[in-house]
Amino acid sequence: MNLTHADRSTLKDQTVEFPVQAVLDRPTAPATSRAPRLYVLDLLRFFAAMAVVAYHLLFADARESWGANTADLFGASLRQAASYGWLGVELFFMISGFVICMSSWGRSLSDFFTSRITRLMPAYLFAVVLTASVLMLWPQPGEKAPDLRQIIGNLTMAQNLLQLNNLDEPYWTLLIELKFYLLFLIVVAFGVTYRRVLMFCMIWTTLALFAHSSDFKLLTLVIEPRFTSYFVAGMALYLIHRFGQSLLLWCIVGFSFAINAVMLDSRVAPLVKSGLPMSWKVSLILVAFFYLLMIGIALGWFARIQWRGLVTIGALTYPLYLIHSANGRTVIRHLRDDVPPWLLLGGVVGGAVLLAYVVHRFVERPLSRALRNGLKSSFQKVRAASESRDPVDAVPPEGDQLVRRQPDPLPWPATHRDPPSDR
């Protein structure tokens, strides 16, 4: 087929956006001014982490660690309060739904992927290496030292899918977080909007109910019905925070709470069955309190909290969560006969917080920066490869050499002439 001069000019000037480039680069919302930081979320994250720390050090297998009943060492009231520290995980999931919805607004798929990887992996890889080293030198009572296969599997963060045991107890929650991110990638790929987040909440909740009531193991594995409603409630509360209240959003929050109340029994029942003093009603009251706190954040009750030091405190949450359990118990077992209990407990918790700061300052920051730069470079190569393709390669040249499309000089797709939003 012979092309006229006009046809060739049209092809030369035409901008073609390829699917890979469109998905990676598409900004998901118009550029808007950055909202004020919610410092209270940093404080709430740290509170949730400390609840989990208390549970692992004072309640879960505490007799093996301390060689005595922690109620005798620290008082029955403290031990009983620590026994409900596992609910800090549920609070984490609510915060995650709120924060991920907030941070993904106006982000492209590549930005979202990069932010999640650089947030999760550096501290996690360090924690796996540290914990594996400690457990190889001082195995937990009644357990074998981890072998190389288990260590390598844990480095992937997908050890449960590989049917391997977690090196440390807190790691089980990370796969659930990853599943949430992967599911929410669908919304990010199409562009995060009010309507799409609403649809995502409704569809995910519906699938969770079907998964809970069926024996479809694959659906249960992907959807994680026990924890879905915590994420959904967090997302709905962010929509209330960003766009204001509506009956539909409050219905989603209320329905999520009802589901959490029912499914909370699946978390409490195994503990009661093992002989632990656990109450579903007390657990429900605490979950209701978490909902009240998150509702307060959505409605701006805590807007006066503006201390910037909370940013650092919030940054310690993730490394503290990763390193406190097996490492802390090991220290307690080796020093319990030589150090008074309260001094040892304070030293272990304080040492874990200090180590978390060291990890954040000297591991997370530099590795996250290097990883972010590497991923950005990788996605730039994907875009360059997409732009270098011939947009009219289906048209036989037959003597006339078609002019190949030149890469768009803008760093975002040519269909978007305004820079993508930073929000």
Side-chain angles (χ1 to χ4, degrees), residues 355-415:
L355 181 57
Y357 176 78
V358 172
V359 173
H360 169 66
R361 180 65 179 83
F362 298 103
V363 177
E364 275 193 304
R365 283 186 179 180
L367 289 186
S368 295
R369 189 181 306 113
L371 190 57
R372 185 181 302 109
N373 292 336
L375 288 173
K376 285 184 177 180
S377 176
S378 299
F379 284 120
Q380 287 174 356
K381 291 180 180 179
V382 173
R383 287 190 288 270
S386 300
E387 292 172 345
S388 66
R389 290 175 54 189
D390 192 339
V392 291
D393 53 5
V395 181
E398 293 189 5
D400 284 333
Q401 183 67 36
L402 294 179
V403 178
R404 193 176 291 271
R405 172 187 176 242
Q406 297 298 318
D408 196 292
L410 297 175
W412 50 88
T415 54

Side-chain angles (χ1 to χ4, degrees), residues 7-292:
D7 292 333
R8 287 195 295 269
S9 298
T10 300
L11 289 172
K12 181 177 179 180
D13 295 336
Q14 186 178 12
T15 299
V16 178
E17 185 177 298
F18 295 99
V20 173
Q21 178 187 351
V23 171
L24 291 177
D25 288 343
R26 181 192 295 116
T28 60
T32 56
S33 59
R34 184 176 295 276
R37 184 181 182 91
L38 297 174
Y39 291 94
V40 66
L41 284 175
D42 296 302
L43 180 61
L44 200 56
R45 273 198 293 252
F46 189 76
F47 168 77
M50 290 303 293
V52 176
V53 170
Y55 174 76
H56 286 145
L57 298 185
L58 293 175
F59 187 78
D61 299 323
R63 181 178 290 274
E64 292 183 358
S65 301
W66 292 94
N69 191 332
T70 51
D72 298 331
L73 297 176
F74 304 102
S77 298
L78 180 60
R79 184 179 187 276
Q80 186 174 8
S83 69
Y84 289 93
W86 56 271
L87 286 166
V89 171
E90 272 71 358
L91 179 55
F92 270 131
F93 290 156
M94 287 188 69
I95 296 172
S96 182
F98 190 102
V99 171
I100 294 305
C101 191
M102 175 174 61
S103 61
S104 64
W105 217 282
R107 298 286 184 180
S108 67
L109 186 60
S110 60
D111 290 336
F112 179 78
F113 179 85
T114 299
S115 69
R116 292 303 90 204
I117 293 297
T118 56
R119 179 71 182 95
L120 291 180
M121 293 309 296
Y124 176 74
L125 295 177
F126 175 86
V128 169
V129 173
L130 172 65
T131 304
S133 301
V134 170
L135 293 180
M136 290 177 70
L137 293 173
W138 303 285
Q140 297 285 349
E143 297 183 8
K144 295 181 179 179
D147 56 26
L148 184 60
R149 180 171 175 269
Q150 183 183 5
I151 296 172
I152 294 175
N154 273 256
L155 288 171
T156 68
M157 205 181 282
Q159 58 269 17
N160 299 133
L161 297 178
L162 296 171
Q163 297 183 343
L164 295 171
N165 292 328
N166 295 305
L167 275 177
D168 204 356
E169 189 173 347
Y171 294 176
W172 71 270
T173 64
L174 301 179
L175 181 60
I176 296 175
E177 284 278 348
L178 283 178
K179 291 176 184 179
F180 168 52
Y181 298 158
L182 291 174
L183 290 172
F184 200 69
L185 274 176
I186 300 172
V187 182
V188 177
F190 285 96
V192 181
T193 64
Y194 189 114
R195 179 179 298 180
R196 287 167 182 160
V197 173
L198 275 179
M199 291 299 297
F200 178 79
C201 291
M202 294 176 182
I203 293 172
W204 194 14
T205 299
T206 302
L207 292 175
L209 292 174
F210 278 116
H212 179 70
S213 62
S214 69
D215 295 327
F216 192 1
K217 293 183 178 180
L218 179 60
L219 184 62
T220 301
L221 179 67
V222 173
I223 299 300
E224 292 289 351
R226 289 188 301 165
F227 305 105
T228 293
S229 294
Y230 293 108
F231 292 105
V232 169
M235 288 186 285
L237 288 170
Y238 174 70
L239 293 180
I240 290 174
H241 172 74
R242 183 182 178 99
F243 297 101
Q245 304 179 55
S246 74
L247 178 60
L248 178 59
L249 290 174
W250 284 120
C251 286
I252 293 175
V253 173
F255 192 63
S256 297
F257 176 75
I259 294 174
N260 290 144
V262 174
M263 293 193 180
L264 191 60
D265 184 65
S266 66
R267 294 271 278 154
V268 175
L271 299 174
V272 174
K273 188 176 181 180
S274 64
L276 298 176
M278 199 67 57
S279 168
W280 173 83
K281 291 183 179 178
V282 174
S283 301
L284 181 59
I285 290 173
L286 290 172
V287 170
F289 177 64
F290 297 159
Y291 265 81
L292 184 62

